Amino acid sequence: MSSEEAPGNGWPGRSATGLDAVDRAIIAELLRDGRMSVRTLAERVHISRANAYARLTRLVDDGVITGFTVELAPHKAGLGTSAYVSVTIEQNSWRAVLAQLREIPFVEHFAMVGGDYDILVLVRTPDNETLRHVVLERVQDVPGVLSTRTWLVFDEARGSGAQWGAPD
């Protein structure tokens, strides 16, 4: 098994290792407010600012924290139509299909999945006409795509997710 295949390397279905209670507290605080200063972060998790910088740098360097983003309300930002699109692909075409999906405007997220479909895609567009264009003229035109199925999203909400501040 190469180092790229070793458990805990960040591949789906494998858990990260080496996170202690302070690391988990840092993650919990940043998930609540990713804009806070390192000084505030250090105060909230009861460590020195130097320790907070060092831990934050390590979490980023190790790929545990992959970026700092804005949480957006899509409908208020002009993306009023959302849909999940399941995609069935030709065997062994997944690398090329994923590369093409990355380039399609309005594709927000996609995941390779097990089950009846191969890829699940989240598409957010300004309107139904644009959604139709993305699915019928962009996704279905990708070489290797055999079929799609679209589910319009009527409403959505966030779940509680992992409890990062809590011990294992």
Side-chain angles (χ1 to χ4, degrees), residues 49-93:
R49 193 166 41 164
N51 191 3
Y53 271 112
R55 284 175 175 268
L56 188 55
T57 299
R58 179 180 47 79
L59 290 168
V60 171
D61 289 348
D62 289 351
V64 175
I65 295 175
T66 59
F68 300 86
T69 64
V70 171
E71 202 169 311
L72 189 65
H75 64 284
K76 290 184 178 182
L79 299 174
T81 300
S82 296
Y84 285 98
V85 180
S86 65
V87 181
T88 303
I89 62 174
E90 294 173 356
Q91 189 173 13
N92 296 320
S93 67

Side-chain angles (χ1 to χ4, degrees), residues 111-120:
M112 290 182 59
V113 296
D116 294 336
Y117 311 104
D118 300 308
I119 304 169
L120 189 61

